[in-house]
Amino acid sequence: QVQLVESGGGLVQPGGSLRLSCAASGRFLSINDMGWYRQAPGKQRELVATITSGGSTNYADSVKGRFTISRVNAKNTVYLQMNSLKPEDTAVYYCNVDGLQYSFWTDSRAYWGQGTQVTVSS
């Protein structure tokens, strides 16, 4: 199992920046995929960015060029640097972990953080 602790959300003006952090802890040896998803009011949860254990990244078109996802495997932590924020970025952002590696098996279930609110408003 894994525990996910998210931080870094808040209120920011359009054009501002925030950095989200998600720290994973547990008895696993490593994590395959980590990412960020968001859910805006009245909308479905959508992918923001993902990063594999090898460092391959994938971004939603809406955030490409503005957001950067990164991870530090030794700390089991994933980050989302958000620049040039827009009002449409307002949402609850959820950390996601998929693929916990143990000595003898892999937990293929997806796990989610509690969510952190990002509000972009003047």
Side-chain angles (χ1 to χ4, degrees):
Q1 197 200 325
V2 61
Q3 296 79 49
L4 302 176
V5 179
E6 302 170 340
S7 63
L11 175 64
V12 65
Q13 295 186 162
S17 298
L18 286 173
R19 188 175 78 155
L20 306 183
S21 299
C22 176
S25 61
R27 299 187 184 276
F28 55 86
L29 299 178
S30 62
I31 301 170
N32 290 151
D33 305 312
M34 307 183 79
W36 292 94
Y37 294 71
R38 67 187 181 187
Q39 187 167 22
K43 296 186 63 179
Q44 296 290 104
R45 186 178 299 180
E46 65 176 353
L47 180 147
V48 177
T50 60
I51 184 167
T52 69
S53 60
S56 297
T57 59
N58 182 44
Y59 296 93
D61 289 340
S62 60
V63 308
K64 195 173 184 64
R66 300 187 297 121
F67 292 9
T68 302
I69 189 170
S70 62
R71 64 189 283 175
V72 179
N73 291 335
K75 297 169 63 176
N76 295 315
T77 300
V78 62
Y79 304 93
L80 185 67
Q81 178 66 47
M82 304 184 293
N83 299 325
S84 302
L85 283 162
K86 305 174 180 179
E88 49 263 46
D89 294 318
T90 296
V92 177
Y93 284 69
Y94 296 92
C95 176
N96 171 262
V97 169
D98 191 352
L100 301 177
Q101 300 282 6
Y102 297 85
S103 294
F104 305 110
W105 71 293
T106 299
D107 184 351
S108 61
R109 292 174 293 181
Y111 293 88
W112 299 89
Q114 79 282 0
T116 184
Q117 177 70 49
V118 172
T119 302
V120 185
S121 177
S122 301

